Amino acid sequence: MSDVTTAQPAETTPSGVPTIDHDEVRAVLEYYAERGWTDGLPVMPVTESYLREFLARTGREPDEVLLAIPHLNRELTVRLAAINAGLAGCLPEYFPVVVAAWEAIAQEPHPRKGIWQSTTGTAPFTVVNGPVREQIGLNSKGNIFGSGFRANATIGRAIRLALINVFGLHPHQLDQATQGTPAKYTACIAENEEASPWAPLHTEYGLERGDNAVTAFVIRSVMHIEARHTQLPEQLALDFADTIRRTGALIHEHTNALLVIVPEHAHLFADAGWSKDDVRNYVVEHAVRPRAELAAVGKDAVSHHSRWRLPADHPDAIPDAASEGPDPDTVPVMTAPSSVQIVVAGADNAGVSAVVEIFGLAPRERPSSFSKIGEL
């Protein structure tokens, strides 16, 4: 999709307001829609002059490849990323964040293994840290998973539109999601660093607090944790663990989670002397299921080929790793504290946090990747 619209000089009214030919605008939008260049919603027309504003925001060459997916024989260049950012409604000043998001995504093995085509309905999810949040108006407070903020909505949408337009991941075609998720439209939040008692997410990668960074995840779903009732860190952490260990989430032998903790809950933990590592360790220790409960839903063994969960009497089934452990009747659903990532985001007005189901890179590795944002 290398085509963009050629702009004509706009006429203005006597008051200086540009006039708009609605029929021409509608014709452009329908032209894009007929070619499948949308996510189902109208997109912004992109002209060559507007595209140059995006490209001027990065020192990268337009033909530089940000992500290649060999099995699809397709590549995303900086120019194509810019076109889709424009289509998504991004402002040019958002483009360094979009580029960094693609750089983080490119570090993951999942896209090259076809994860974006999965029947599970996976979606890219980005978390932004650093001063850029305030500079471009990213929402880190109330309604972080909802609507209302252009930067969040359009940065996430820029990723999805490129997956559709560059990599061909159209629903019912290469995108084989059985049901999908609203995150397939857009999924981008910022960390509420100012309201957090802990160091922000990107500092765990060795970056400084003042650095701008994007962390990329592959997500399946977002589940809210209603916990307005307690001031005990153990009770709150058990609510997180119980949500993670639910049987319906156990596709693979083990799972991973991103805890999106609201400031109220983060301070509950911190005031009790808990660090992020204390939360991780407690959640991993208690994210276990009795084997009998897994057997009841047919998930007490794993596939010899894929290590996806199966009933023990399945022809392809072999014992899971817990079967050889000191307590074979208790099955941990996470492998290590690194399976749990933590970010503080949301408003400080109610005890409602979230567990985001994410795919990990490999057992005992951090289930995310990051990229530092270039100069704005």
Side-chain angles (χ1 to χ4, degrees):
M1 58 165 306
S2 59
D3 297 345
V4 292
T5 306
T6 301
Q8 300 296 325
E11 297 180 358
T12 61
T13 65
S15 61
V17 178
T19 60
I20 297 174
D21 187 321
H22 291 83
D23 290 337
E24 286 190 7
V25 173
R26 180 178 177 184
V28 171
L29 297 181
E30 294 301 330
Y31 176 84
Y32 288 177
E34 288 168 3
R35 280 152 183 77
W37 293 350
T38 84
D39 52 8
L41 295 172
V43 293
M44 279 284 293
V46 178
T47 64
E48 284 288 357
S49 60
Y50 192 41
L51 179 60
R52 285 194 293 272
E53 294 185 44
F54 284 83
L55 296 175
R57 294 284 178 160
T58 177
R60 315 293 284 271
E61 293 298 322
D63 60 353
E64 182 178 344
V65 175
L66 294 173
L67 175 65
I69 301 184
H71 77 273
L72 295 177
N73 195 30
R74 300 185 187 196
E75 296 178 337
L76 174 77
T77 63
V78 172
R79 175 184 168 85
L80 290 173
I83 291 174
N84 283 280
L87 290 172
C90 287
L91 293 175
E93 52 262 43
Y94 304 172
F95 191 52
V97 181
V98 174
V99 171
W102 281 117
E103 290 175 330
I105 290 170
Q107 297 174 39
E108 300 177 341
H110 290 118
R112 293 181 290 281
K113 293 181 179 179
I115 194 66
W116 303 129
Q117 300 167 248
S118 170
T119 56
T120 306
T122 55
F125 178 65
T126 57
V127 177
V128 183
N129 283 98
V132 67
R133 296 167 302 126
E134 298 297 327
Q135 293 169 12
I136 66 173
L138 277 160
N139 179 33
S140 66
K141 299 173 184 175
N143 202 37
I144 52 170
F145 295 114
S147 59
F149 295 85
R150 182 173 182 175
N152 298 64
T154 60
I155 289 170
R157 192 187 188 201
I159 304 300
R160 169 53 52 188
L161 286 175
L163 292 179
I164 293 170
N165 295 326
V166 178
F167 296 109
L169 301 188
H170 295 272
H172 302 182
Q173 297 177 29
L174 292 181
D175 184 343
Q176 291 293 304
T178 304
Q179 291 188 321
T181 164
K184 279 181 172 283
Y185 278 104
T186 181
C188 173
I189 68 170
E191 182 162 15
N192 191 347
E193 298 178 21
E194 293 73 19
S196 173
W198 300 313
L201 176 66
H202 66 310
T203 63
E204 298 180 29
Y205 298 94
L207 299 179
E208 299 296 327
R209 183 183 286 268
D211 291 334
N212 294 315
V214 173
T215 305
F217 298 89
V218 178
I219 73 168
R220 292 168 49 215
S221 64
V222 177
M223 295 165 289
H224 285 152
I225 306 297
E226 296 282 349
R228 311 169 193 230
H229 63 290
T230 184
Q231 290 299 309
L232 299 178
E234 293 85 359
Q235 291 181 345
L236 178 57
L238 282 174
D239 257 354
F240 284 110
D242 186 63
T243 301
I244 293 168
R245 70 190 177 197
R246 66 186 183 90
T247 61
L250 301 181
I251 300 175
H252 304 97
E253 183 171 13
H254 299 105
T255 190
N256 301 272
L258 169 66
L259 308 186
V260 181
I261 302 179
V262 292
E264 178 182 334
H265 284 161
H267 282 280
L268 187 158
F269 284 127
D271 290 348
W274 285 38
S275 66
K276 281 188 183 180
D277 283 340
D278 292 328
V279 176
R280 290 188 182 100
N281 291 331
Y282 193 93
V283 167
V284 170
E285 179 184 353
H286 291 85
V288 298
R289 298 294 303 216
R291 185 169 299 281
E293 292 181 359
L294 291 177
V297 295
K299 293 184 176 181
D300 52 325
V302 295
S303 165
H304 173 71
H305 298 288
S306 66
R307 298 200 73 84
W308 285 31
R309 289 210 164 269
L310 292 172
D313 59 358
H314 190 281
D316 188 41
I318 60 172
D320 59 23
S323 299
E324 301 173 358
D327 184 6
D329 292 330
T330 300
V331 182
V333 305
M334 310 186 93
T335 58
S338 58
S339 299
V340 179
Q341 297 299 291
I342 296 173
V343 63
V344 176
D348 194 12
N349 61 1
V352 183
S353 291
V355 169
V356 180
E357 292 182 313
I358 56 177
F359 280 87
L361 301 178
R364 301 189 182 279
E365 290 187 9
R366 186 188 298 268
S368 59
S369 58
F370 80 99
S371 178
K372 190 173 178 179
I373 298 171
E375 294 298 323
L376 300 178

